[in-house]
Amino acid sequence: MRVLLTGSSGWLGRYLAPMLQAAGHECVGLDIVPGAYTQIIASVADRTAIDQAFADYRTEAVIHAGALHKPDIARNPAQAFIDTNVSGTLNLLEAAIAAGHDRFVFTSTTSLMIRADVRAGKEGGAQQAWWLDEEFGPLRPRNIYGVTKLAAEHLCRLYHELHGLDVAILRTGRFFPEDDDTHSEPSGENLKANEFLNRRLTVEDAARAHVTALGAAPGMGCETYILSAPPPFGQAEAAALIDDAPAVIARHFPDAADIYARRGWTLPPYIDRVYDPSKFVRHTGFRFDTDFATILNALQSDGPLPYAHDPDYVSPIVRR
């Protein structure tokens, strides 16, 4: 299948494109900056360029992973988010319908689920961890990034209803390699390891999930899925995660505290949100390669950490 991949020069795209090729697909990359897997230099907001790309390459499906993200808020006006994340998605949907595509995979974000009270967490008075699955709501995104990604999700649903296009909406958790822009403690690698308990996945798992969604989309309808490493906890532990996360972690991983201590790391004192990817696993049979147990095994054996950490990583959009 010939697949148009937007965002092909980005962090996800550089992993996803070769996985598509390995799965037997022809990947046509589109991005505003050059990259190893990018054939078309254009913005999704440019409808003429999108129509030309569809005419030139006669693609059969779209994976729309290109977007402006939260860090881009500091360097772009709100209109740029609307042009790229909303109008760009509309351009692709309309072109896909005109080309007779039967599937569309949209990379969304769990960020749009983090309204003000969820973000406040324990400091805001939460009595238990927020359990974030696809039924969570109401959704009230807290910034222009979340607002535009939610609007794009609604466009995907509308075009499914109007035209029968099967759509997989993938709300991805964190997989960026750079340090968190809002937390300096614990250290970058330690923080990322902790997040595999509740809100992170590897970029490799994120890419593999997109390939899986592409194959599963026909007949799906329009479905929304959360992508994050499977948490070790059950929803019945939500209150305990707020009160004493290390005690809950110890029930599942008795050696975790000692393994962490040998590296000088710290476990989170509380966990106030948990992303639940079980719907995607149930619907597609997907299995995540990396979870918190994988992290502990790597630490225990002094092996390489199974996730990317690069505090100096800079997005290609910023470097251009």
Side-chain angles (χ1 to χ4, degrees):
M1 175 179 295
R2 185 174 296 139
V3 180
L4 179 67
L5 171 63
T6 71
S8 52
S9 299
W11 180 244
L12 176 61
R14 70 180 65 177
Y15 288 86
L16 179 49
M19 287 188 188
L20 286 168
Q21 293 170 350
H25 302 295
E26 180 182 345
C27 180
V28 178
L30 182 149
D31 207 304
I32 61 172
V33 294
Y37 301 101
T38 298
Q39 291 83 41
I40 306 166
I41 307 298
S43 169
V44 293
D46 183 345
R47 180 59 190 267
T48 300
I50 294 300
D51 288 343
Q52 190 65 53
F54 274 72
D56 289 347
Y57 289 91
R58 299 189 181 278
T59 57
E60 300 166 87
V62 173
I63 297 180
H64 180 26
L68 288 179
H69 298 277
K70 176 180 173 287
D72 297 311
I73 293 174
R75 42 188 179 262
N76 289 277
Q79 186 63 51
F81 280 81
I82 294 171
D83 294 343
T84 299
N85 294 357
V86 182
S87 297
T89 303
L90 178 61
N91 288 340
L92 290 163
L93 287 165
E94 290 188 334
I97 294 299
H101 289 191
D102 67 349
R103 70 194 76 183
F104 191 98
V105 178
F106 176 61
T107 310
S108 190
T109 174
T110 53
S111 179
L112 63 82
M113 304 171 71
I114 310 306
R115 61 194 190 212
D117 54 344
V118 178
R119 185 174 177 81
K122 183 173 183 176
E123 287 81 2
Q127 299 300 302
Q128 60 182 17
W130 295 93
W131 201 266
L132 301 175
D133 61 16
E134 293 80 4
E135 301 305 314
F136 174 79
L139 300 176
R140 294 194 295 268
R142 68 187 189 280
N143 55 38
I144 190 64
Y145 170 51
V147 166
T148 54
K149 293 299 275 188
L150 182 57
E153 286 191 6
H154 286 316
L155 285 173
C156 289
R157 292 188 185 91
L158 176 64
Y159 273 67
H160 163 69
E161 292 169 1
L162 292 177
H163 303 286
L165 181 67
D166 289 321
V167 182
I169 298 169
L170 305 182
R171 290 182 183 166
T172 62
R174 292 179 161 203
F175 56 81
F176 56 79
E178 65 267 37
D179 285 331
D180 190 296
D181 61 356
T182 57
H183 295 89
S184 57
E185 295 294 336
S187 66
E189 286 184 328
N190 186 169
L191 179 62
K192 284 182 172 65
N194 290 353
E195 289 176 341
F196 276 90
L197 288 162
N198 66 314
R199 62 181 301 188
R200 179 172 283 274
L201 72 165
T202 64
V203 66
E204 293 89 349
D205 275 344
R208 287 196 309 109
H210 279 71
V211 177
T212 296
L214 180 70
M220 175 183 289
C222 181
E223 290 286 354
T224 301
Y225 298 107
I226 289 172
L227 297 183
S228 187
F233 317 115
Q235 193 167 356
E237 297 174 290
L241 286 170
I242 282 280
D243 292 337
D244 188 354
V248 182
I249 295 166
R251 289 202 294 266
H252 295 272
F253 306 103
D255 298 331
D258 289 340
I259 293 171
Y260 261 46
R262 288 198 290 272
R263 186 168 283 226
W265 285 8
T266 58
L267 290 165
Y270 62 87
I271 291 173
D272 54 17
R273 71 185 76 159
V274 177
Y275 298 141
D276 181 356
S278 58
K279 177 183 172 182
F280 188 68
V281 172
R282 289 195 313 271
H283 282 200
T284 68
F286 184 79
R287 291 294 180 267
F288 292 84
D289 282 344
T290 303
D291 58 12
F292 188 68
T294 316
I295 310 299
L296 290 182
N297 289 338
L299 292 171
Q300 180 77 292
S301 64
D302 291 322
L305 292 172
Y307 56 89
H309 174 66
D310 181 3
D312 298 321
Y313 175 79
V314 178
S315 166
I317 297 176
V318 179
R319 292 198 304 265
R320 66 180 177 141

